[in-house]
Every structure is written in structure tokens, then in C-alpha cells.
Amino acid sequence: MTTHDTRPGSTGGADVPGPLYGGPDDDYTPEQLAAMSREDLDRLGARYDGVEILHVDAGPEPGSRLEKRAIRQVGLTFTLAGVFAFLFVLVYVGSGWFLPDWHWEISEGGWSALFTPLLGLLMGLSLLCVGVGLVLFTKKLLPHETAVQDKHDGSHFDRVTAGATLVGGWHNSGLARRKLITRSLLLMGGGVGLMLIMPLGGMIKNPSKGNPLGTTNWADGVRLLRNDGTPIRPGDQEPGSLETVFPAVPGGNRQADAATMLIRLRPEQVESLRPREGHADFAYGEYVAYSKICTHAGCPVSLYEQETSRILCPCHQSQFDVTQGAKPVFGPATRALPQLPLGLDDEGFFVARSDYIEAVGPTYWNRERI
Amino acid sequence: MARTATLPGAPTTKLGKAGYELDDRMLVSPWLRRTLNKVYPDHWSFLLGEIALYSFLILLLSGTYLTFFFDASMREVVYEGSYAPLRGVEMSAAYDSALTLSFDVRGGLFMRQLHHWAALLFVAAIVVHLLRVFFTGAFRRPRETNWLLGVVMMVLALLMGVTGYSLPDDLLSGTGLRIISAILLSVPVIGTWAHFAVFNGDFVGEEIIGRFYIVHVLLIPAILLALIGLHLLILVKQKHTQFPGAGRTEHNVVGNRLFPTFAAKATGLIFVVFGVCALLGGLVQINPIWLWGPYNPAQVSAASQPDWYIGFLDGSTRIFPAWDINLPGDYNVPALFWPTVVIAGAMFTVLALYPFIERKLTGDTASHHLLQRPRDVPVRTSLGAMGLTFYIWLMVAGGNDVIADKFDISLNAMTWVGRIGVVILPPLVYVLTYRICLGLQMHDREVLEHGIETGVIRRLPHGEFIEVHQPLGPVDAHGHGTLAYGGAPVPKRMNHVGGARRAIRGFFSPIEEPAQVELEQRAEGRGLAAGEERELTSSGRPIDTGRPSDGGRPQEPRD
């Protein structure tokens, strides 16, 4: 055939079908194809796709012991998959109907404790059987063929022609010469892009405004309350004990930064008490109060070992010494836990004398400046 | 077209006719045949990525189910459900709905646990797949793009995990959220702004669960889906890599066609992965949120650990020293910034850029479709082992409190073990891996040169005892093998080269006739009998060339 004949759109206006889509129909007439066996057709198509079948290990011989055995195995696995699946349905639907209720009961160790495990077991076994059956089928009954497929590098022709089309479009647009359009496009792109992301500005909030990061609800005269809302007097706690207290404001015990540890020191701890600079009068007698929020990553420091006067944060194991102004003595924390100045109100209950004089919680860039 | 229906060879069955009709409209058969004929290499390590894909499928299905019940709101409610110990407790609607899902939805707990297990498997499969690609050099040109996509998807998978386990708003996830908040705050200059943008204010606020929810169920899954599609598209376009071996070249792929072998195996694998996740989801309890209780900023439990894949960041945070950097003007860079943002960022950046780094260092810019055995690229293998050690060591350090508790070791000592280990172990592992690689290489060469040890001892006429070696191919005048190393496994035992007859099939009773197998093997020329003949002619070298090659002393006088 000449190039003229195959040129697309070269029929001179007549509505004539072009060559068939895809395969080499000109080389193989329908009659030739009809004369070929199924295997030959399969191989022919494969070869056309660059695939050569090198070697076929036929599956087990039909009717042989090997085949019967494999069929039994695969059939049994698929049967089991079905049985387990129906059992799953049975347990799922039947619980609370003809089987005991599946709802969890605090005292019960029976059916309700078995319900979830049974669901998992039955569904798991069923699906595993499907998978194993398929693999067995593939391995034991299908012929094993080894095929090889060609791997081609890119075509130079394609690259050059595609490139020519692209460059042609760019060239015809004249954007390289028509500078006004390029510049206005740049401005347009920048402006439209910026405009489209602008609504995200709704997420931006000024963290320095009102300073919620640096302050808590503690203030002069605010009582120290336990989690259940009761106030505390000196003498309520055993020496060596720790109690978590919250500011006496609405919702104080749900506030993320206000949780405070009120610690009654033992006499020998009081003797070795060395408050930090500027915190000399923050303690009340043998009572000291430190922020519970770790200065490292903000976890509540909860584990108090009174023999060593140490408080441990369970998240990253920072340790603070309560007799040294809760200074960090080990681990990744760098700052002491802020101390709350303690006092008593007219009725003899503990109150704060002011908010913490430094920001509680994790360190951040401009913490010192707040 | 009516014309086609009358062609000879046109299908006559109903199904065949339907297929013909379909192709008449859609023209799909060339594409379909190409797809069915596509050859996939047959090696187990190529299934790792598939496991990741299938667990993602499970995650999509089970996750969609969970959204029917989950209420991503931080509104305060009082629990009134089936779980008696928490009745009357104030909690967020998110935690309340997660409890309801676990106790008052039929099969809800199973689905929640299935989802969680599939998530762990998803990340694990990605990591192992990445290691396979790394250690075999499958990331080399032309596959750098897919490597990059893979690393991005792994990071997204980690974000998926973090946003996912933060949702139930129990004590554990709240503690994680608090640490995320602190990490955000620790970023220099923009930390507080970033925190206020994400949390809509100070910790904890009212928004974060809802925001994490939409990120977890829509944003990241959508991006992941798109990237997975791209990843697979590129994979199909570039075709698979393969290990070197007989008939395998840079310009072909040897294996099974998609249909039916590979398709059947892959479908089987889907069901196996589903089945394993279902078994785990039902039988192995995971994240029993009802035991943790609702989140309360003033409470925490000991041994608060994230899911395994974030463990390395927890570990690096635990062992990093207390080094705040104070800058003039009362600014500072918190110690928390380094082990979280910087380490994670550096690790993933180096990982993503590794193909380009290696290309720069080795100057190897050629296309590669044949994989490398890790031993043949000792520097890369050692670097990988070093990075892996670093990662695993950090993960171990993330559990140092549990180790200290269970083995009755001082917690502070464990922290120091972590600190010292993270500096010393990676270089040590580098050196060790390098030596092992060289050793394995040398052993391959030795076998190629001197043959396989047969275990047969011979006494030479002058009284010397030697072991008979089986050469793998032709030998030169000194009895040295002339086969070159081709990057493929070298057989090391006689059984690998057919020294023994293959086992008779059958578990309890043989289902084959031993004599039949013997005959069949003899016909193939690699049975025991054939092997014996070969040994007599080629390795019974004392007769031909004087002596068998016995590693290391080829210059001995011949007899």
C-alpha cells in the first residue's frame, strides 16, 4: 500500500470505512482465523502483544489420582468457605433471636463475650478458605506456563512528532512574541490563584491576641477545688500526698491548662525545699502547688514518687524535683513546672494569690515574651 | 455492523455474541487482549505492594461503614449506653458514638477492630514493600517517579493513622492530640500561628475532632486514591522489574500472563488479606477505648504509646536531650522541635531523594529493569540496614518505659541506653552489613570457581584426602569453573542442582509411583541417576585432569 491510500481523511469526501481498528486484519483473513485452533489464536494474539509462551507444564492428567486429589482439596476448601460464611450469618442474625443476646453485660462471660470473636473467626476462616482455595486451584490444577514479554524503549518517532505538535501550538499562539499577553497571564494566574486560596484565611487566628496561650483561669482569690468540686483546707491532705486541683470557675475542671498539683511535703522535704528565684513565698507552709501540664509536650505529669520527691511525666519521662521548685532533673523537659502562689481565704480554704507568673505548658517560639 | 455477524469464525454462543456486540460498540478487545496477555514476574516479594493495596481496600470499605455511626463532634454529652462502668459519665459526642458503635451496634466492635488492624497492616505492608524496592534497587531509573509517589503515599498513610486514632477522643487519643499540639507549637516563628490555624485557638478547643475527621475520611483518602491510581498506571506502563535469571534480560519480563494464573493468585491474595484482617479484628482486641475513658486534660495513663508506625517519633522525643536553644530577644527553639519535626522531615526527605543521591554518587544514569541482589550492592544495602536500625532503635526507645517496667530496669538507664544506642548502633550495623555482603559475594564466587561441596571425601593415591567438588559448568585446565557471576542466586547444595530426586508427592501416603518419578526425572536429565553419571564424567576429575578443584589450592601437583 502506498502512503496515499492510508492517509487519514483521504477518501475525497466519500463516506467509506477506513481500515479496521487495532489488529492486523489485512494479514489474517476471517477464513484463515476460522481455520486456526483456539490455542493457536491465543498464541497469535499473545505474539501480537509481544508475549511468547515459552513453556507450558500441563496440569495434572485428567482422571489421574493427582487430579482427583487436587479437585477434592479445592472443592473442600470452597465448601468450607461457604459453610463458615453461612455460620457467620447464623451468628450475626441469630444472636438475640434463637441464640443468646450479643449485648455486653458486665457480669457475663458467655455468649456476648464470644460474639465479636466468633464473627471474626468465622469471617476470617471463610475468606481465608476462599483465598487458599484459589491459590490451590492455581497451583495444582491450572497449567503452569512461563511467558516472556518484550519490554520496549520509547520511540524516537513518537517523541519527535509529539514534540513538533506541542511546539507548533506554542509557536502559533505567538505567546513568545506577544509579551502583553504573557505578562497579563502571569498577573491573572497569580491573582486568581491567590483569590481562590483566600477563604482559607478563615482558619487564621492571631495567637497573641488576648494571650490565651499564656494565661489560665487562676487569679487572686480563686479557690482550689478537687475534681468533684470540693474546696481544700490545710490539714485535709496527708503529708507526702498529691492532689489534682482546678480553679473554682465554671468548667474549671475541664480546662486544658489549669490543672494543678497541690502537694503536701513531708517535714524532711520542707527542710530541703529550695524554691526557684522569685518564687520564695509561693508555698503555703508545707504546701506547694505546681502546674500539672508538662513543660515538654503538655501531657499531665502524674506520677509522684514521694521518696525521691520526683514527679514523672509518663509520656516522655521528664522528671521534676518538687523540693527544687519542680526543676527538671532528667529527660527531655527544659523548664520547671510553673508554680502557683498559694494563700488562704477568709473561710480557711486554699486560694490562688494570682495566675501563674509564667506561661504553663509546652515551650514555644515567643513564650518568654508573653 | 451486520457485516461482522456473518464472518466465518464469528461466535455462535450467546455469551460470545454478546461479547462481539459489546466490542462492536466499545472497541475494547485490543485493550482487553493486551491486558490479559500482560506478563507478571512470579516472585513472592512482588506481592508486598499488593497487600498494601488490598488493605487499603479493606480500610475504605470498613471505614465507610464506621462513618454511618460515628459523630465527629466535641459536644459534651452524658453516656447512657450499654457499657455500665461509664454510664452517667460526661464525655464528648465523638467518644460517646465510638462507645455506642462498640457496644450497641451489632458487629460494630468487630468492624472497628477490623479497621484498626487493617490500618496497621496497611502501613506495615507499605514499609516492607518500600524495603523490597530499596534493597533490590527497583527505584533506579526509570522508576524514580514511582519511588517518590511511594514515599509520599507512606507519609500520607502515617497522617491517615494519626488523624484516625485521634478521632475516638478517648484518653489515649487525647494524649496523642496534646502532643501533636505541642509539636505544632514547637515550630519556630510560625508555631503558635499554625497551632491556632489547626485547632482554631488554644488547645483543645471545639473543632479539632471535626477537622481531623474530614481530613481522615475525605482529604487524605482522595489524595491516596489518586496517587495509587497513578502509581499503578506508571507500573503498568513501565512494566515490572525482575530478578536476573535464565532468559531474563533488561528488555523482557518473564513470568505468568495476567489471565488466568496471575489474576487467580492475586484474587486469592485479596481474600487471604481480608481473611487475616477479619481474624485479627475478631479475635485480637485492639484499642479498647472503653478502658481508657473519656479524654481529660488532667489525666493520663502510664505506657501511653501511639500506634507502631509513629513509635519512632515517640522514641526520638524520649531520648532527645533537654536542649532548648535560646535566641536573643527572648525567642527560643524548643527541644521538642528537633526529635519530631526535624528528624521526621529529614528522614522522609532523605528517603524521597535517595534515588537521586545514589545516581549522583555512583554516576549510574542508565535504565535498569533487572533487580540487584542486596549483597551485590553492599554500600546501598549497608546504608539501608543502617537507616532501618536507626528507625527500629527509635521505635524500641518509644517503649522504654514498658521495657524498664517488664524487665525491672531503671527507666533513666533505659533512656541512656536509647541515647547511646542511637549513636553507636547504626554505624556498627553499617560495618557489619558491609562485611556480610562481601562475605556472601565471596562465597558465590568461590562456588562458581571451585564448585559445590559434595560431601564426598576421596583419598588420593599418595594418601591425601580431598573433598570432591561439583563444578557448575565448564572448567579450565586447573579445574576452575569458567562461569561468570550473573547477579542471580548461585546453587550452593547438590540438591539445588538435582543431586537428589525430588520428593514423592503425597502427605500421608504417596500419590505417585517412585519409579515413575525416577523415570520422569531421568528423562529430564536432572534426576539422581543423571546426577551420578555427571559426577563420574565431569567431577570425577582425578581421572581427567588430575584432581578435583578443592577451594584455594589449585596449584597442587597432579597425580
Side-chain angles (χ1 to χ4, degrees), chain A residues 20-23 30-31 34 42 45-49 51 53-54 65-66 69 88 91-96 102-104 106 115-125 127-128 130-132 134-135 137-139 142-153 202-208 212-213 215 227 244 246 253-257 259 292-293 296-303 310 312 314-317 319 330-335 361-369, chain B residues 3 7-9 27 30 33-34 37-39 65 76 82-85 103-107 109-110 113 143 175 178-179 182 185-189 192-193 196-197 200-204 211 238-241 250-257 260-261 264-265 267-268 271-272 274-276 278-279 281-283 295-303 314 317-318 320-324 327 329-336 369 400-401 411-412 415-416 419 505-507 509-512:
Chain A
L20 297 179
Y21 175 73
E31 289 74 22
D42 175 36
R47 202 165 303 138
Y48 186 67
D49 291 331
V51 175
I53 315 299
L54 295 178
R65 272 188 83 187
L66 208 60
R69 201 176 116 98
F88 177 91
V91 170
Y92 190 86
V93 176
S95 294
W102 58 273
H103 272 97
W104 185 84
I106 192 160
F115 180 67
T116 299
L118 265 181
L119 290 186
L121 186 73
L122 292 173
M123 184 186 274
L125 284 179
L127 295 173
L128 271 185
V130 177
V132 169
L134 274 167
V135 172
F137 179 75
T138 319
K139 280 193 131 43
L142 281 183
H144 295 215
E145 68 174 33
T146 307
V148 55
Q149 183 165 28
D150 289 335
K151 199 175 263 172
H152 299 288
D153 293 331
M203 294 180 74
I204 307 294
K205 272 185 141 185
N206 188 344
S208 311
L213 271 175
T215 56
N227 198 22
T244 303
F246 302 92
N253 64 345
R254 302 292 295 167
Q255 281 189 349
D257 289 335
K292 198 177 183 180
I293 309 302
H296 174 236
C299 292
V301 288
S302 285
L303 306 175
R310 284 187 180 193
L312 172 82
C315 285
H316 305 105
Q317 287 91 43
Q319 291 155 33
F330 191 81
T334 47
R335 287 186 299 113
T363 310
Y364 44 92
W365 176 246
N366 55 350
R367 194 193 68 89
E368 302 284 334
R369 296 171 65 92
Chain B
R3 179 173 66 90
L7 286 176
L27 302 178
R33 194 196 55 226
R34 243 190 344 264
N37 275 330
K38 186 174 167 52
V39 172
Y65 176 87
E76 286 284 310
S82 290
Y83 186 65
F103 288 106
D104 293 300
V105 174
R106 191 181 287 254
L109 178 60
F110 168 59
Q113 299 196 133
R143 296 184 176 75
T175 304
R178 177 92 222 201
I179 297 171
L185 277 178
S186 77
V187 180
V189 187
T192 51
W193 288 85
F196 271 58
N200 198 30
D202 197 3
F203 184 82
V204 52
R211 287 187 177 177
Q238 296 182 331
K239 297 206 171 79
H240 278 68
T241 53
E250 292 281 6
H251 295 97
N252 69 15
V253 187
V254 178
N256 299 317
R257 284 193 286 172
T261 317
K265 278 187 190 172
T267 317
F271 282 102
V272 170
F274 262 67
V276 168
L279 279 181
L283 295 177
Y295 178 57
N296 179 337
Q299 292 171 357
V300 70
S301 69
D314 199 24
T317 309
R318 287 173 185 214
F320 196 79
W323 291 342
D324 273 3
L327 299 170
D330 281 344
Y331 293 111
N332 71 77
V333 182
L336 184 60
H369 301 287
N400 63 359
D401 53 340
L411 182 57
N412 295 5
T415 304
W416 274 107
R419 287 174 178 172
R505 291 201 183 102
F507 194 74
S509 60
I511 57 167
E512 291 177 310

Side-chain angles (χ1 to χ4, degrees), chain B residues 255-434:
Chain B
N256 299 317
R257 284 193 286 172
L258 172 76
F259 189 79
T261 317
F262 183 77
K265 278 187 190 172
T267 317
L269 186 63
I270 295 185
F271 282 102
V272 170
V273 173
F274 262 67
V276 168
C277 285
L279 279 181
L280 286 169
L283 295 177
V284 190
Q285 187 182 65
I286 187 165
N287 199 17
I289 51 165
W290 54 92
L291 297 182
W292 313 150
Y295 178 57
N296 179 337
Q299 292 171 357
V300 70
S301 69
S304 291
Q305 258 95 12
D307 276 352
W308 74 266
Y309 40 83
I310 303 294
F312 77 104
L313 285 182
D314 199 24
S316 64
T317 309
R318 287 173 185 214
I319 62 176
F320 196 79
W323 291 342
D324 273 3
I325 299 177
N326 292 308
L327 299 170
D330 281 344
Y331 293 111
N332 71 77
V333 182
L336 184 60
F337 177 63
W338 306 103
T340 53
V341 183
V342 175
I343 290 219
M347 280 171 74
F348 290 123
T349 309
V350 170
L351 197 62
L353 295 182
Y354 185 79
F356 311 100
I357 299 172
E358 186 181 293
R359 196 162 68 191
K360 197 91 193 161
L361 292 183
T362 61
D364 179 5
T365 56
S367 273
H368 295 280
H369 301 287
L370 284 178
L371 297 174
Q372 289 166 308
R373 301 177 83 200
R375 67 185 64 175
D376 294 332
V377 208
V379 174
R380 182 204 297 147
T381 306
S382 311
L383 282 176
M386 187 166 105
L388 201 59
T389 311
F390 182 70
Y391 177 84
I392 292 175
W393 190 252
L394 289 185
M395 204 154 86
V396 170
N400 63 359
D401 53 340
V402 179
I403 297 173
D405 178 42
K406 296 294 173 210
F407 295 95
D408 215 5
I409 306 169
S410 152
L411 182 57
N412 295 5
M414 275 310 295
T415 304
W416 274 107
V417 166
R419 287 174 178 172
I420 296 169
V422 85
V423 177
I424 290 183
L425 278 180
L428 202 67
V429 167
Y430 182 94
V431 174
L432 263 179
T433 316
Y434 199 89

Side-chain angles (χ1 to χ4, degrees), chain A residues 24 43 55 143 237 269 285:
Chain A
R43 300 245 169 162
H55 174 77
Q237 270 177 269
Q269 284 178 310

